[in-house]
Amino acid sequence: MVDELIIDGLSDRDFCKEIEELLRRDEADAAADRLKSLLGAVCGPDRPLPSRFLTVDPKSIELIGWLNLPASITNYDRGDSKISAIGIDLSWPGHIGREPNDDGLLDPVVETNFYTDDMWPFSTSDRAGLLSGYDQYSCAWQGGFEEIDGTVQINGISDLYGAVYLLKGITEPGSQTARVLGACYIVVLIYLALRDSAPRDVLPRPMAVILGSNEDYPYFNAPVFAAR
């Protein structure tokens, strides 16, 4: 990132923290509106990001494998130590050698993390209880998953994700502003897709669902919904 990149009157770091805080308070619609109002300046022909950023709908995101979660949860349950939270985590594609294809398309790399109450009282926590496990840059259960796999994947935004990925390393301020806005908006879209479209009734019990991008910019982490 270039030094002193200013977005909507804030440093890029402070701007990202404000968007993350909106997600943590379950104000993702307000986050989406704010980002969309700024994306117009960086989307379109001869601009860093494609125009579809301005028209994409969270319903365009397909949560592949969500219906396979019950089988994974049952497989990972251990006696009284049962899975009580699921983390949907975005991981940096470069870690596994993935790059956009010749058309600039790249699907997010998603890891599904499975947690028990041994790490945090997920099964008895409401949203406030989950938020008490966060500090500014981390959470009490970070890295404490019982199992990790690729049960859930994300489809439908490969053009948007690929476009943001290709902006990494470009130091021109307009491109870096576009990267910040685009990366934030992608996480917000995924949050909204999970919140509004993921069928919770297929899960074998009430459990928390947490969205994270700890290995992928902008490194957000926020609860989508709590078990209680």
Side-chain angles (χ1 to χ4, degrees), residues 73-97:
I73 292 165
T74 299
N75 185 48
Y76 297 144
D77 282 343
R78 299 287 185 269
D80 292 334
S81 184
K82 296 186 180 298
I83 301 302
S84 54
I86 300 164
I88 306 298
D89 244 21
L90 302 183
S91 184
W92 179 243
H95 290 334
I96 58 172

Side-chain angles (χ1 to χ4, degrees), residues 66 84-89 111 113 115 120 122 130 134 139 141 191 194 207-214 220-226:
W66 184 269
S84 54
I86 300 164
I88 306 298
D89 244 21
E111 297 175 341
N113 302 308
Y115 300 91
W120 188 263
F122 293 107
L130 291 178
Y134 288 97
C139 58
W141 52 86
Y191 182 103
L194 286 166
M207 56 183 59
V209 174
I210 297 161
L211 175 62
S213 60
N214 288 322
F220 286 173
N221 199 310
V224 181
F225 38 75

Side-chain angles (χ1 to χ4, degrees), residues 122-135:
F122 293 107
S123 65
T124 57
S125 291
D126 57 12
R127 190 177 198 89
L130 291 178
L131 290 177
S132 69
Y134 288 97
D135 60 26

Side-chain angles (χ1 to χ4, degrees), residues 36-184:
K36 196 170 180 179
S37 71
L38 298 169
L39 278 163
V42 296
C43 295
D46 301 320
R47 294 180 179 177
L49 293 176
S51 299
R52 197 168 83 90
F53 264 101
L54 304 177
T55 59
V56 66
D57 188 283
K59 293 179 181 178
S60 302
I61 294 176
E62 182 181 3
L63 301 171
I64 300 171
W66 184 269
L67 297 181
N68 297 328
L69 280 172
S72 296
I73 292 165
T74 299
N75 185 48
Y76 297 144
D77 282 343
R78 299 287 185 269
D80 292 334
S81 184
K82 296 186 180 298
I83 301 302
S84 54
I86 300 164
I88 306 298
D89 244 21
L90 302 183
S91 184
W92 179 243
H95 290 334
I96 58 172
R98 287 183 53 186
E99 299 281 340
N101 65 16
D102 291 342
D103 295 320
L105 305 180
L106 178 65
D107 284 320
V109 174
V110 181
E111 297 175 341
T112 310
N113 302 308
F114 299 84
Y115 300 91
T116 70
D117 280 6
D118 294 340
M119 200 65 200
W120 188 263
F122 293 107
S123 65
T124 57
S125 291
D126 57 12
R127 190 177 198 89
L130 291 178
L131 290 177
S132 69
Y134 288 97
D135 60 26
Q136 188 173 8
Y137 299 109
S138 184
C139 58
W141 52 86
Q142 186 167 344
F145 49 81
E146 294 293 318
E147 298 288 347
I148 184 170
D149 67 19
T151 299
V152 178
Q153 296 296 313
I154 290 169
N155 195 12
I157 53 170
S158 59
D159 56 334
L160 308 184
Y161 188 80
V164 171
Y165 184 98
L166 290 171
L167 293 176
K168 183 179 184 295
I170 300 177
T171 58
E172 188 273 320
S175 294
Q176 281 303 291
T177 296
R179 179 183 178 235
V180 173
L181 295 175
C184 288

